[in-house]
Amino acid sequence: MIKPATLLAALMAVSASAVAQEASIVGTWTLTAAEKLLPDGKHVPDYGPNPHGLAIFTADGYYSVQIYRAERMKFASGDKFKGTLDEYKDASLSMSVHFGRYTVDPAKHTITFHVDRSSVPNLDDTTAVRQYELKGDELSWRVAPRQDGSIPLTVLRRVK
């Protein structure tokens, strides 16, 4: 027999999870732009022309984000374990990938990414809060400013 306290705790957890996820961002999204906003207000590509990417937000609070530059250096050897320093550097800098859990605060227009793992090891097991905008089937967010003052912008379109 299930104890009432156990049942109540389970129901509260499900309710909190449901409240934390804004149903409107749940789904699969394709990348339409990955830009940088420069301190002078100019927008420039952050991952070159025509970047590729995908974001997935599940109803139970999991997410995955991948952004890649369209043109990426190939490993001349054909073996990622035998790359050159330039090939490894390009492989690292031509992508931004992370996954984990997320919560949404619709009143503050924030997505909180609880990063499990990232293409940048320093971001593993961290939390990142992003201001977002949702306009119909377009979702966008800003990343925290970089040391050079530029602000990365991610723009996605809902997959139908």
Side-chain angles (χ1 to χ4, degrees):
M1 179 168 187
I2 298 175
K3 295 180 181 179
T6 304
L7 181 59
L8 179 60
L11 288 172
M12 287 176 62
V14 169
S15 295
S17 176
V19 167
Q21 308 322 316
E22 183 178 16
S24 57
I25 75 161
V26 170
T28 304
W29 303 78
T30 57
L31 185 71
T32 60
E35 301 177 332
K36 290 189 293 190
L37 175 60
L38 300 179
D40 67 3
K42 184 177 177 184
H43 286 249
V44 297
D46 198 16
Y47 287 86
N50 306 310
H52 294 239
L54 191 70
I56 300 169
F57 295 94
T58 66
D60 58 351
Y62 288 92
Y63 82 92
S64 179
V65 173
Q66 304 93 39
I67 299 172
Y68 292 92
R69 191 170 54 227
E71 299 297 325
R72 301 176 69 210
M73 182 184 291
K74 308 283 188 221
F75 290 100
S77 68
D79 183 345
K80 75 175 186 176
F81 295 104
K82 296 179 182 174
T84 66
L85 290 178
D86 284 341
E87 290 168 339
Y88 289 134
K89 181 178 178 181
D90 185 76
S92 175
L93 296 178
S94 68
M95 68 172 161
S96 177
V97 179
H98 55 99
F99 70 91
R101 309 258 326 175
Y102 78 100
T103 54
V104 173
D105 184 334
K108 293 181 180 177
H109 291 277
T110 59
I111 302 172
T112 301
F113 293 101
H114 304 280
V115 181
D116 182 338
R117 290 296 172 264
S118 170
S119 55
V120 178
N122 304 48
L123 299 179
D124 292 355
D125 301 313
T126 63
T127 299
V129 179
R130 305 287 181 243
Q131 292 286 324
Y132 77 90
E133 283 188 49
L134 183 61
K135 296 178 183 173
D137 287 330
E138 182 179 278
L139 173 65
S140 61
W141 63 75
R142 293 174 175 234
V143 176
R146 294 178 176 156
Q147 289 182 351
D148 67 0
S150 67
I151 300 171
L153 308 170
T154 301
V155 183
L156 304 141
R157 174 136 329 264
R158 186 185 303 276
V159 173
K160 292 186 176 190

